[in-house]
Amino acid sequence: MNIKSVKTRVIVGALGALAIVGGVTGVSAYTASPADANPATTVAAAGDEAVTETKTLSSEAALKAAKAALKEAEEQNQRVTVAIVDRAGNTIALVKGDGAGPQTQESAERKAFTAVSFGKATSELTEGATGDAPNISDIPGTLFLAGGVPVTADKAPIAGIGVGGAPSGDIDEKIAEAGLKAID
């Protein structure tokens, strides 16, 4: 028997032993009690005070609102983008109308984010966004121009509708309100 063959056998044997030990350890971890293996079970068992439920706007409702807003924009001959964001500010629907400028997407998303963040139409928030001192307009991602409206459920904001691209925020807001009306 040569030395190379002995080394190969020792290495293969050692790897096999490690595999067996690893398998036994894996099985013992796998067979742990359900409470130990799944921390989510423990949290749920802690009681109602540890768990909350939140309402969300369905993707179907978001698309319905976006389509209604875009239809209103077309009837007013406005080239806009409509954005719908969820409670966390994530975009769930975005429709860029024909001829809408490149700046309209960010404007619409930021207006929708601002509306859901504060639970008010962006036109109502502009007063708090002025002055030389730090104010709400310093919050990243916000835009305090008319054109964003919140979507609420049980008096709490669950989504925001933002419109950007019309020559005035008042027009943008009327278009956003048409989207809101479609799902109210």
Side-chain angles (χ1 to χ4, degrees):
M1 185 183 291
N2 68 27
I3 296 201
K4 196 173 190 181
S5 176
V6 171
K7 283 182 181 177
T8 303
R9 286 182 182 170
V10 169
I11 291 172
V12 169
L15 289 175
L18 284 174
I20 291 170
V21 169
V24 169
T25 304
V27 168
S28 67
Y30 180 74
T31 59
S33 71
D36 294 336
N38 188 354
T41 304
T42 306
V43 172
D48 291 338
E49 68 277 357
V51 179
T52 63
E53 291 183 22
T54 56
K55 295 187 179 205
T56 60
L57 186 66
S58 71
S59 57
E60 183 178 324
L63 289 171
K64 184 177 181 180
K67 287 178 183 179
L70 191 58
K71 181 180 178 188
E72 177 67 22
E74 289 170 353
E75 289 174 4
Q76 293 189 31
N77 294 317
Q78 300 299 321
R79 295 180 236 172
V80 302
T81 296
V82 179
I84 315 288
V85 301
D86 65 13
R87 180 64 179 120
N90 301 307
T91 303
I92 54 176
L94 181 71
V95 181
K96 188 171 185 179
D98 294 335
Q103 80 288 0
T104 61
Q105 178 176 339
E106 183 175 353
S107 173
E109 287 177 316
R110 288 176 61 191
K111 289 177 183 181
F113 173 79
T114 304
V116 73
S117 295
F118 293 94
K120 293 183 178 183
T122 53
S123 61
E124 296 177 40
L125 298 166
T126 55
E127 288 180 26
T130 60
D132 295 332
N135 58 58
I136 60 175
S137 68
D138 295 322
I139 298 170
T142 57
L143 184 58
F144 295 92
L145 299 174
V149 297
V151 178
T152 60
D154 298 329
K155 299 181 183 178
I158 61 165
I161 302 172
V163 175
S168 89
D170 294 337
I171 297 170
D172 282 339
E173 195 158 308
K174 287 178 184 170
I175 294 168
E177 288 171 351
L180 180 60
K181 186 177 179 180
I183 57 174
D184 264 352

